[in-house]
Amino acid sequence: MNKTIGVMGCGWLGLPLAEGLLDKGFLVKGSTTSEEKLQILGEAGIQPFYLKADTSGTEGDLTGFLKGLYCLILNFPPGLRSGPSGSYLSKLSYLIKAFEHAELPRLIYVSSTAVYGNAQGLISEKDPAIPEDAKGRELLEAEKLLLKLKSTHTQVVRLGGLIGGERHPANQLSGKKMPSGGNDAINLIHRSDAILAILSLMEQPFEASLFNVVSPEHPRKRDYYASEAIKRGLKPPVYQDTPGPVSGKIINSAIFQAAGIHFTKSLYSDKSL
């Protein structure tokens, strides 16, 4: 393929995603907020760009980065989402103006299932998103703004909690006493399957605009985090509420399942799907 894809945010998720696109035959431009990482991107075969957004504008050659793109994958690093309420949308506003000027054919926005808030039961892409906190509301507003781009076919990918490599919630939860939530289902996704989902959007003509990307495994938090902590030689977290059946929200990836795309990486470190 000679189509050029831009990956804005080549970090823990974005860099292996960009490498996956290269393997599929795409030309890839990648951005980073770290000048030291430009060489790493270049050595991987990715055309590197230094780009940084803040509440006063953007730094770097954003116009050059966007020029000639068939599709932009907007994968904001977590640091760009940090800061006081409203700062995320303020940063995004400068980028949206550039997207409109560039008239991007396609855009894939990497969002989060956090937009579903405290919904209960089985959740599909057809269910309403009702965020419970300021960050979730900002993410949902960002989705709406990007879906309104007139000349761009925008698709939103809502990822569950990401795990992979050394990144796992069991590390942060080790030894903690949790007053509630032990019966809640987990809604996680392994990094490799998150990448699989995004790559599938590039290869298949999906018409939908919203996609959940969550593993089909949904054990209780008290069981799963204890099991994974022990495997890592960590002290398990202790949930102090009464054990019961799985509760809370269970998010599925109905559109991918219907298309025959199945995630392959088990959330359990010693199993496979």
Side-chain angles (χ1 to χ4, degrees):
M1 297 182 184
N2 60 2
K3 292 180 178 178
T4 302
I5 312 298
V7 179
M8 186 174 286
C10 287
W12 182 84
L13 173 65
L15 179 54
L17 170 60
E19 292 171 335
L21 289 164
L22 287 173
D23 291 340
K24 294 290 185 181
F26 291 99
L27 304 175
V28 182
K29 294 181 178 181
S31 81
T32 175
T33 59
S34 168
E35 294 183 348
E36 292 76 14
K37 199 171 182 180
L38 293 172
Q39 182 177 348
I40 295 174
L41 298 185
E43 291 174 348
I46 301 162
Q47 187 177 352
F49 285 80
Y50 171 80
L51 293 176
K52 189 174 184 178
D54 59 33
T55 55
S56 61
T58 59
E59 297 179 26
D61 184 12
L62 181 57
T63 300
F65 176 75
L66 297 175
K67 185 177 180 180
L69 292 186
Y70 162 68
C71 178
L72 170 66
I73 300 174
L74 183 55
N75 174 46
F76 275 161
L80 198 56
R81 293 178 181 170
S82 63
S85 179
S87 64
Y88 178 62
L89 294 176
S90 177
K91 297 169 186 176
L92 182 63
S93 66
Y94 292 101
L95 296 176
I96 287 177
K97 291 177 183 178
F99 299 162
E100 291 173 332
H101 186 265
E103 297 185 341
L104 294 169
R106 290 191 65 187
L107 186 148
I108 295 174
Y109 176 52
V110 180
S111 186
S112 167
T113 55
V115 298
Y116 290 115
N118 292 327
Q120 301 290 302
L122 188 63
I123 305 296
S124 75
E125 290 89 348
K126 296 180 180 180
D127 290 294
I130 306 175
E132 295 293 327
D133 58 26
K135 291 300 179 184
R137 288 189 287 272
E138 283 191 319
L139 280 175
L140 184 59
E141 184 61 26
E143 292 181 2
K144 293 177 180 178
L145 291 172
L146 293 166
L147 286 166
K148 289 179 181 177
L149 287 169
K150 294 181 180 179
S151 61
T152 302
H153 178 211
T154 299
Q155 294 172 306
V156 175
V157 174
R158 292 172 174 169
L159 301 183
L162 282 162
I163 65 170
E166 296 301 315
R167 179 170 174 171
H168 198 283
N171 296 321
Q172 288 73 44
L173 294 173
S174 175
K176 291 186 177 180
K177 291 184 178 181
M178 311 297 290
S180 61
N183 300 320
D184 289 349
I186 62 167
N187 290 281
L188 303 177
I189 188 71
H190 195 279
R191 175 173 56 183
S192 62
D193 280 330
I195 291 171
L196 170 66
I198 296 171
L199 292 178
S200 73
L201 293 183
M202 303 302 306
E203 296 182 304
Q204 297 195 30
F206 287 100
E207 295 299 323
S209 59
L210 293 175
F211 302 84
N212 293 334
V213 180
V214 178
S215 169
E217 297 174 309
H218 299 280
R220 299 182 304 177
K221 289 182 178 180
R222 64 175 2 106
D223 301 325
Y224 176 72
Y225 290 134
S227 171
E228 291 303 298
I230 291 170
K231 292 172 189 174
R232 289 165 171 76
L234 302 173
K235 187 176 180 180
V238 177
Y239 286 89
Q240 297 177 313
D241 51 348
T242 302
V246 175
S247 60
K249 60 177 177 284
I250 295 178
I251 302 173
N252 68 22
S253 302
I255 295 176
F256 288 116
Q257 292 170 356
I261 297 169
H262 302 290
F263 302 139
T264 61
K265 194 74 172 179
S266 174
L267 301 181
Y268 291 93
S269 54
D270 58 351
K271 295 182 182 179
S272 59
L273 289 176

